[in-house]
Amino acid sequence: MVSIKLFGVREEDKPFIKQWAETHDVEVSLTDALLTNDTVDQVEGFDGVSVSQQLPLDEIVFKKLNQFGIKQIAQRSAGFDMYDLDLASKYDVIISNVPSYSPNSIAEYTVGQAINVVRHFNAVQRKTAEHDFRWEPSILSRSIKDLTVAVVGTGRIGSIVAEIFAKGFGSKVVAYDVVENERLDGVVTYKDTLIEAVEEADIVTVHVPGGTDTHYLFDEKVFSHFKQDAVFVNCARGSVTDTKALLKYLDNGRLLGAALDTYEGEKGLYPSDQRHTDFQDDLLQQLIDREDVIVSPHIAFYTDAAVENLIVYALDATLDVIQTGDTELRVN
Ligand code: NAD
């Protein structure tokens, strides 16, 4: 019987893994530990490996996988920037990812968080908790229908966000992307530059991939072109935002607020329990302490549909490599 070792397994993954294993008649062994130099020996004797990795793997891990006859690592996320793909290839290890597992989940969360910032959610919650039930100008809001939304990156997720705002709320939607999405003909108006898109927008939401091309795409210069009282939403990758520049434009009153599901220093933090540690990330703490910012720990995707798809697509890829030597989801 084919056997697969899964690392980084969370409680909510288990029923979907069990169901997949029964359907495919595959033996699975689960651990919540991550794949590291210390745990790689657990792979010996298995036919395949699936992980939910956040940090890079040392060469010794690839070397041992190769010695154990493992031909692949199936990453249970879209992002694979933590892998040294050349190193993986050097040891004949195919890396696969799950490029799309529930774009609707992320799009729905994005829209919800944008509305929460526009409607002063944090302030209203605090006031209500203090039994201050007054209506006052500080929490006076605007109707989403009257706002212009800029969607930056109109791929799988951004295109759904654009459609929800345009068709669901009747907002005007402008967009910026290096490649225009034909599906959005008649839904959005594409702008030639990022600055032209943000200059018009009351809500700016970013859905581009991480990487060198998009690192600090939202820097001081771009924030300086935001409209007065604009809202910034980042449910994409932390690295696309220069957090210090964002804080400057929140402090100087240009931006109304921000919703940040991702953060440039999140690796090793999201997800983890830091309640009993001496929390040292001052930049993240500044964001958390602000009433005009809603911070969440990279949970836009976190629905049952997404968790199931991550498991099923990753394990299908593992089985493909074991049975055919390759997978459509390989990234190296
Ligand atoms: P996608 O590849 O389908 O779309 C990305 C779009 O960005 C493409 O249309 C591409 O042309 C465009 N793009 C690339 N570089 C650009 C640039 N420099 N300027 C403008 N546009 C550019 O990706 P997707 O599946 O829609 O994912 C979007 C983002 O969401 C990614 O950053 C992904 O990592 C993130 N994501 C977040 C979560 C979460 O839970 N928060 C979950 C999954 C994915």
Side-chain angles (χ1 to χ4, degrees):
M1 189 190 257
V2 168
S3 61
I4 299 174
K5 179 83 192 175
L6 287 96
F7 291 89
V9 174
R10 291 188 287 268
E11 213 41 49
E12 64 274 23
D13 298 335
K14 289 179 183 170
F16 298 119
I17 296 170
K18 189 168 173 273
Q19 196 178 12
W20 184 91
E22 279 169 13
T23 309
H24 293 82
D25 200 20
V26 167
E27 187 188 322
V28 287
S29 165
L30 320 183
T31 173
D32 59 358
L34 299 178
L35 179 60
T36 64
N37 304 5
D38 296 331
T39 60
V40 64
D41 289 332
Q42 294 179 26
V43 169
E44 192 167 11
F46 286 90
D47 303 302
V49 175
S50 174
V51 303
S52 185
Q53 206 67 25
Q54 293 170 42
L55 298 170
L57 297 174
D58 288 341
E59 184 161 3
I60 185 73
V61 173
F62 291 111
K63 201 172 178 178
K64 286 201 170 177
L65 290 177
N66 179 283
Q67 282 166 8
F68 297 149
I70 297 289
K71 299 275 180 239
Q72 51 67 241
I73 299 177
Q75 170 72 22
R76 300 193 299 281
S77 74
F80 54 88
D81 45 319
M82 60 296 269
Y83 289 96
D84 182 336
L85 297 181
D86 292 337
L87 196 58
S89 299
K90 180 178 162 188
Y91 290 98
D92 290 327
V93 174
I94 294 171
I95 306 291
S96 64
N97 73 335
V98 183
S100 179
Y101 35 94
S102 180
N104 284 80
S105 299
I106 300 139
E108 290 160 12
Y109 186 85
T110 301
V111 173
Q113 290 297 71
I115 296 172
N116 283 336
V117 178
V118 173
R119 301 301 295 248
H120 308 286
F121 180 82
N122 281 346
V124 173
Q125 287 293 101
R126 174 188 50 78
K127 280 162 56 62
T128 307
E130 291 168 355
H131 301 153
D132 176 358
F133 305 129
R134 286 174 298 166
W135 301 343
E136 51 188 29
S138 66
I139 54 166
L140 183 66
S141 186
R142 290 174 289 172
S143 167
I144 302 298
K145 180 178 186 300
D146 299 334
L147 302 185
T148 297
V149 181
V151 178
V152 179
T154 50
R156 286 175 289 251
I157 297 167
S159 60
I160 300 172
V161 171
E163 284 173 330
I164 296 174
F165 275 117
K167 296 181 183 170
F169 293 91
S171 315
K172 178 179 172 190
V173 183
V174 298
Y176 173 69
D177 196 310
V178 287
V179 184
E180 297 188 6
N181 186 339
E182 285 174 12
R183 207 181 96 194
L184 295 178
D185 280 356
V187 178
V188 308
T189 308
Y190 276 100
K191 298 287 171 181
D192 291 335
T193 64
L194 173 60
I195 287 179
E196 281 176 67
V198 305
E199 267 171 353
E200 266 196 45
D202 303 289
I203 296 172
V204 177
T205 178
V206 53
H207 303 284
V208 299
T212 43
D213 289 352
T214 57
H215 186 260
Y216 282 6
L217 188 65
F218 287 85
D219 59 6
E220 200 164 328
K221 180 172 173 222
V222 171
F223 284 123
S224 76
H225 286 270
F226 271 50
K227 261 174 87 171
Q228 182 61 41
D229 291 333
V231 165
F232 177 65
V233 183
N234 183 2
C235 291
R237 276 287 179 268
S239 61
V240 307
T241 309
D242 177 349
T243 310
K244 286 186 181 146
L246 171 65
L247 281 164
K248 180 173 169 186
Y249 280 85
L250 288 164
D251 278 337
N252 70 17
R254 171 68 68 88
L255 271 62
L256 180 79
L260 306 173
D261 187 50
T262 57
Y263 164 61
E264 57 180 305
E266 74 178 57
K267 272 192 185 145
L269 273 183
Y270 297 169
S272 73
D273 183 356
Q274 300 288 328
R275 282 175 301 174
H276 308 296
T277 64
D278 179 17
F279 192 70
Q280 296 287 351
D281 192 325
D282 178 54
L283 201 55
L284 179 56
Q285 192 61 52
Q286 282 184 56
L287 295 169
I288 292 168
D289 288 343
R290 296 186 74 101
E291 202 160 75
D292 54 3
V293 177
I294 305 178
V295 176
S296 53
H298 208 131
I299 54 153
F301 79 99
Y302 196 55
T303 62
D304 53 0
V307 171
E308 177 171 11
N309 288 340
L310 278 168
I311 297 291
V312 169
Y313 298 156
L315 291 179
D316 283 353
T318 311
L319 206 51
D320 280 347
V321 176
I322 294 167
Q323 291 175 340
T324 71
D326 209 348
T327 166
E328 281 180 351
L329 298 184
R330 73 182 294 167
V331 293
N332 64 335

